[in-house]
Amino acid sequence: MNLYSFMSVCYDLLDKIWFSDKGRNPRDVIEKLIPNRACTVLDMCCGTFSNGLPIAKKNPNNRVIGLDRSEDMLKEARRKVKSADLANVKLLCQDATYTGLESESFDYIIIGLVLHECNEMLWNRILREAHRLLKKDGKLIILEWDKQRAISRKIKFAPIYVLEVLGNPKYFTQMYYSDKSRFFESYRFQMLEQYECNYTVVMSLRKNGYN
Ligand SMILES: C[S@@+](CC[C@H](N)C(=O)[O-])C[C@H]1O[C@@H](n2cnc3c(N)ncnc32)[C@H](O)[C@@H]1O
């Protein structure tokens, strides 16, 4: 039993409390980055499918795969997919460091709110797997917590900051304060765009060396 066994039923409160403020909701930004054409989307470490679900609803032409190692988080994801009656979704219980999926088979890969929970070894393994799975002209979309400037936002973000620091003291701050372009460059991804959102940043990247 891990943290997400307890959190799966209340995880979506995160979106209601932090992402629905006036400002950009990161889930909406991610959804808009993916067009409704015949393409494959992998929501890697999908949790309750907060990124994949709105995409699958908006884009019936997409094939959306959600992958997570927590059966409890996937149970919530399955409930949401069933109630939306979606035929273009597949949910897999797998480890993101070794998915067993075919190389270069995805047009878009989303990794949302995961990397700040990892250590150096996991950054390496998850991003190496994402690099392997992404098509040459594919896009990697990352959602991560962002540094807050306004005092009111610092205060509202404080509980998350404290919990994340306590949960992963060394690597959370390393990820949080990192220069994201340089960080992803060292894992063979090039930054294309960054979108400032509520408490978070959404980044669009491509594999290095491909146009
Ligand atoms: C904070 S949640 C993020 C969920 C979702 N991506 C989002 O944007 O809200 C982190 C998720 O990553 C999953 N996870 C962490 N490491 C993983 C790994 N190595 N393989 C698969 N899933 C993993 C956890 O089970 C959890 O569901």
Side-chain angles (χ1 to χ4, degrees):
M1 190 164 279
N2 70 15
L3 177 71
Y4 288 107
S5 307
F6 297 107
M7 281 181 59
S8 55
V9 276
C10 58
Y11 183 80
D12 289 352
L13 279 176
L14 176 86
D15 284 49
K16 293 200 170 66
I17 300 171
W18 283 277
F19 296 164
S20 61
D21 273 7
K22 200 170 165 226
R24 277 200 242 194
N25 183 326
R27 313 292 188 192
D28 296 343
V29 170
I30 293 174
E31 182 201 292
K32 288 196 180 87
L33 287 173
I34 302 182
N36 183 23
R37 62 174 168 81
C39 67
T40 45
V41 180
L42 175 63
D43 187 355
M44 211 173 187
C45 308
C46 65
T48 61
F49 212 40
S50 303
N51 297 308
L53 188 79
I55 294 165
K57 278 185 185 170
K58 183 189 71 118
N59 297 342
N61 292 324
N62 293 172
R63 174 104 178 104
V64 187
I65 312 289
L67 176 147
D68 201 283
R69 67 179 173 190
S70 161
E71 254 311 334
D72 295 291
M73 293 295 263
L74 285 174
K75 200 169 141 196
E76 278 302 302
R78 280 193 199 99
R79 189 186 56 72
K80 287 163 36 176
V81 169
K82 194 170 171 208
S83 90
D85 196 21
L86 294 168
N88 56 342
V89 170
K90 190 170 177 188
L91 295 171
L92 302 172
C93 191
Q94 285 283 359
D95 198 294
T97 59
Y98 180 74
T99 62
L101 298 168
E102 198 186 323
S103 297
E104 297 188 2
S105 55
F106 289 93
D107 297 280
Y108 295 90
I109 297 181
I110 304 161
I111 304 180
L113 299 178
V114 176
L115 298 176
H116 64 266
E117 296 186 350
C118 297
N119 56 29
E120 224 168 309
M121 185 186 74
L122 282 171
W123 289 334
N124 194 25
R125 288 187 177 170
I126 290 178
L127 291 170
R128 194 177 53 196
E129 185 67 351
H131 198 280
R132 184 183 73 78
L133 294 174
L134 197 60
K135 290 184 182 174
K136 285 187 174 66
D137 57 353
K139 299 269 161 49
L140 173 67
I141 297 172
I142 301 282
L143 165 61
E144 266 306 326
W145 296 119
D146 201 10
K147 295 182 278 292
Q148 302 306 306
R149 283 175 221 103
I151 293 287
S152 58
R153 292 207 165 225
K154 279 187 187 199
I155 292 168
K156 190 162 173 185
F157 187 64
I160 290 184
Y161 185 86
V162 170
L163 284 176
E164 299 286 15
V165 170
L166 289 175
N168 190 11
K170 179 168 175 195
Y171 294 101
F172 171 75
T173 46
Q174 196 171 317
M175 177 80 218
Y176 186 69
Y177 292 106
S178 67
D179 172 333
K180 301 293 187 297
S181 296
R182 287 177 72 178
F183 176 87
F184 288 105
E185 188 76 32
S186 65
Y187 293 99
R188 298 180 294 150
F189 287 102
Q190 185 195 344
M191 186 73 72
L192 297 174
E193 302 277 357
Q194 298 196 52
Y195 306 87
E196 225 176 86
C197 300
N198 273 335
Y199 303 95
T200 52
V201 57
V202 171
M203 294 161 264
S204 167
L205 304 104
R206 70 177 174 207
K207 287 189 187 192
N208 249 347
Y210 302 106
N211 285 316

